[in-house]
Amino acid sequence: MLLIDGAKYEEWTPDNEDAFEQIVKEHAQNIFGEESIYLDIKHKLRSQAGIGSIPDGYALILTDQPHWHIVEVELSSHPLYEHIVPQVSKFISGIRNPSTQRDIVDTLYQEVGSDEFLKLRLKKAIGTTESYKFLSDLISKSPVVTIIIEKHTEQLDEAISALAHSQIKIVEVQTFTREGIGLGVHAHLFE
């Protein structure tokens, strides 16, 4: 239980991944930082052998040291070794494929280009650099694979540690709803 100014809040567990994904999209700038652009794009990452999986989105971090994230929103109720680990493993294999990297650059470029606000935010961050070149250079770097989950467990850490990728980040996003009101009045807790 969470107590805020005398009001009681209870921990809320999403019924499904889509409901949790909506919360992540709504608060992406809080999760990834003010200098980020979150793109809710479902684009399959395929390895050179043709094996692939679709992440939930991508985050571009437009700081002095730009980097990017492949984002997977998960529920802790999903089986670790049957669902989460194979999916993340496919992302890692897929992103090493130069053809997949070009596809991602094209997809991100089109998405940003179709939204005037995102186009201006990107242009402000990169200055005179051409947007396509910036995205191409960015995607050529190894991404952070970010798993956003409502309950971080030791089992998840153990399962993820077996994967051959140096930059895997787990972000726990807990949601609390006001007693008697529900999701209409809520609070989130995350780092």
Side-chain angles (χ1 to χ4, degrees):
M1 172 157 317
L2 179 65
L3 192 62
I4 301 175
D5 294 331
K8 294 178 181 178
Y9 287 75
E10 300 167 330
E11 190 169 5
W12 174 77
T13 302
D15 293 332
N16 57 58
E17 202 171 289
D18 291 337
F20 191 42
E21 217 177 302
Q22 290 303 315
I23 288 171
V24 170
K25 285 191 284 190
E26 182 181 333
H27 296 287
Q29 258 194 317
N30 301 110
I31 295 168
F32 292 101
E34 291 298 316
E35 296 181 42
S36 67
I37 293 176
Y38 182 76
L39 300 165
D40 176 33
I41 298 173
K42 309 295 187 223
H43 183 80
K44 192 170 224 175
L45 303 177
R46 289 188 196 276
S47 69
Q48 289 183 330
I51 297 168
S53 193
I54 302 171
D56 292 312
Y58 302 90
L60 309 177
I61 312 304
L62 306 172
T63 57
D64 292 339
Q65 296 182 336
H67 57 284
W68 67 294
H69 296 248
I70 296 172
V71 180
E72 180 59 23
V73 178
E74 281 296 343
L75 297 177
S76 60
S77 59
H78 288 172
L80 285 171
Y81 290 97
E82 294 80 21
H83 177 74
I84 298 173
V85 170
Q87 196 168 16
V88 172
S89 175
K90 290 174 188 174
F91 298 159
I92 294 166
S93 295
I95 199 57
R96 294 181 180 144
N97 181 353
S99 175
T100 295
Q101 289 180 9
R102 284 189 300 278
D103 287 348
I104 293 171
V105 171
D106 291 342
T107 301
L108 297 180
Y109 181 73
Q110 288 174 357
E111 184 72 17
V112 170
S114 69
D115 183 314
E116 287 300 318
F117 179 68
L118 292 180
K119 199 171 5 176
L120 287 171
R121 285 195 62 215
L122 182 62
K123 199 65 181 156
K124 181 181 177 197
I126 65 174
T128 60
T129 306
E130 201 274 318
S131 297
Y132 191 88
K133 180 177 180 357
F134 171 80
L135 291 171
S136 184
D137 290 346
L138 185 66
I139 301 307
S140 71
K141 297 176 187 173
S142 182
V144 177
V145 176
T146 301
I147 301 167
I148 301 176
I149 196 160
E150 94 290 356
K151 187 167 296 295
H152 189 154
T153 63
E154 281 185 39
Q155 292 86 358
L156 178 60
D157 288 335
E158 185 179 290
I160 295 302
S161 70
L163 296 173
H165 189 73
S166 62
Q167 299 183 77
I168 298 176
K169 182 177 182 180
I170 300 168
V171 178
E172 180 182 60
V173 176
Q174 292 177 291
T175 301
F176 297 86
T177 59
R178 188 161 175 182
E179 188 177 62
I181 296 177
L183 203 51
V185 178
H186 62 273
H188 300 293
L189 179 63
F190 57 89
E191 286 186 37

